[in-house]
Amino acid sequence: MFVMRRFPRPLLDALYGQLPAEAYRTIVAELARRSPQQLADRVERRWFGRWAHALRQKDEEGRPLWTANDIAFYLVVASSCSVPDCEDGMLIRSDTACQQCSPPEHRFVPASGPTSSEGTRRAALSAMRDSLLASPHRTGAGANSRAARPARKAAPESMDRALARARARKDDPDTPRLMAPPPREEPGPEDSVILAARAARVTEEQDPVRVAAVARARADRAARRTQGK
């Protein structure tokens, strides 16, 4: 069946490939009010939203909290909302949140008591400003005020001890030192196509046969120029 093929593989393995009778009857009943695709979407949505890790959940005594049959049933059972078009908090036709089972988390309610006086508001703002200025975790202006504080003077004895430790580390031959990196090797013909072509050209120019041919050609050209004069 189309809906059963959409059940996740880990759950089917735990069910040994057999759909529980209760889950099967629930699917048949839900097909009267939902399409097969809507039921398949419900299975995938609930599995990845809630039940993907339920097979491994244990109680305090190490026993499974949920059986595979229970998970299969909860993946297909209808939601408890009384709105017929509601599908896990969303309305199918309008694709909006259901106001019956998913009310807004924050709702503005106008105050019904007497309004505060201007003096009360100013006093509250002043108290908030003073508490912010006194906070040790402020940045910006607070950081500038902390920077303007006088630095705490160190005791001369602590400075002497610090200098003694620094000198001892400097004179200790076992203290790790920062070493200059080894000089970088010059690239060779094997590191670059251009360098390889340049080296081949130099080798070709130094070939004795080529050098002799070039010299002979130059001598012939000079002789022809002399005869022409």
Side-chain angles (χ1 to χ4, degrees):
M1 118 179 0
F2 177 77
V3 179
M4 184 176 177
R5 288 199 300 266
R6 303 298 288 271
F7 272 63
R9 175 56 57 185
L11 181 59
L12 288 177
D13 292 341
L15 294 171
Y16 300 100
Q18 300 292 329
L19 191 66
E22 188 177 13
Y24 177 79
R25 289 193 295 267
T26 303
I27 292 175
V28 173
E30 285 297 298
L31 286 175
R33 52 191 295 269
R34 294 288 189 266
S35 67
Q37 183 62 49
Q38 290 173 343
L39 278 183
D41 294 341
R42 178 190 296 179
V43 170
E44 292 185 354
R45 180 176 61 252
R46 292 182 179 179
W47 172 258
F48 290 107
R50 164 64 181 89
W51 298 101
H53 305 288
L55 287 173
R56 297 190 297 269
Q57 290 181 343
K58 307 288 185 179
D59 59 10
E60 296 179 354
E61 298 180 359
R63 295 174 299 185
L65 284 176
W66 310 95
T67 65
N69 292 356
D70 294 336
I71 298 174
F73 172 74
Y74 288 126
L75 289 180
V76 296
V77 69
S79 60
S80 58
C81 183
S82 59
V83 179
D85 198 32
C86 177
E87 184 70 21
D88 292 339
M90 297 294 295
L91 301 180
I92 296 177
R93 297 180 183 178
S94 59
D95 197 21
T96 57
C98 177
Q99 299 298 322
Q100 180 71 20
C101 61
S102 300
E105 295 182 1
H106 305 283
R107 186 165 57 96
F108 175 75
V109 179
S112 57
T115 58
S116 302
S117 63
E118 185 65 23
T120 303
R121 286 196 293 270
R122 289 181 179 177
L125 289 175
S126 178
M128 293 170 60
R129 189 178 298 109
D130 293 341
S131 62
L132 288 174
L133 291 174
S135 175
H137 306 290
R138 294 186 69 241
T139 58
N144 295 334
S145 63
R146 289 194 298 271
R149 299 173 186 171
R152 187 176 58 182
K153 295 182 179 180
E157 296 81 4
S158 62
M159 293 295 296
D160 293 339
R161 288 194 299 269
L163 289 174
R165 287 195 299 268
R167 293 192 183 99
R169 286 195 301 268
K170 181 180 179 182
D171 298 335
D172 187 4
D174 296 332
T175 302
R177 310 290 181 182
L178 291 178
M179 305 297 294
R184 186 175 180 180
E185 297 181 358
E186 293 293 332
E190 65 278 359
D191 299 325
S192 171
V193 178
I194 298 177
L195 294 178
R198 184 179 302 171
R201 186 179 60 187
V202 171
T203 303
E204 182 182 357
E205 291 176 352
Q206 295 176 354
D207 183 33
V209 178
R210 184 180 182 279
V211 172
V214 171
R216 185 169 57 253
R218 290 174 180 173
D220 293 344
R221 185 172 56 183
R224 286 195 298 270
R225 289 179 181 178
T226 303
Q227 293 175 1
K229 292 181 179 180

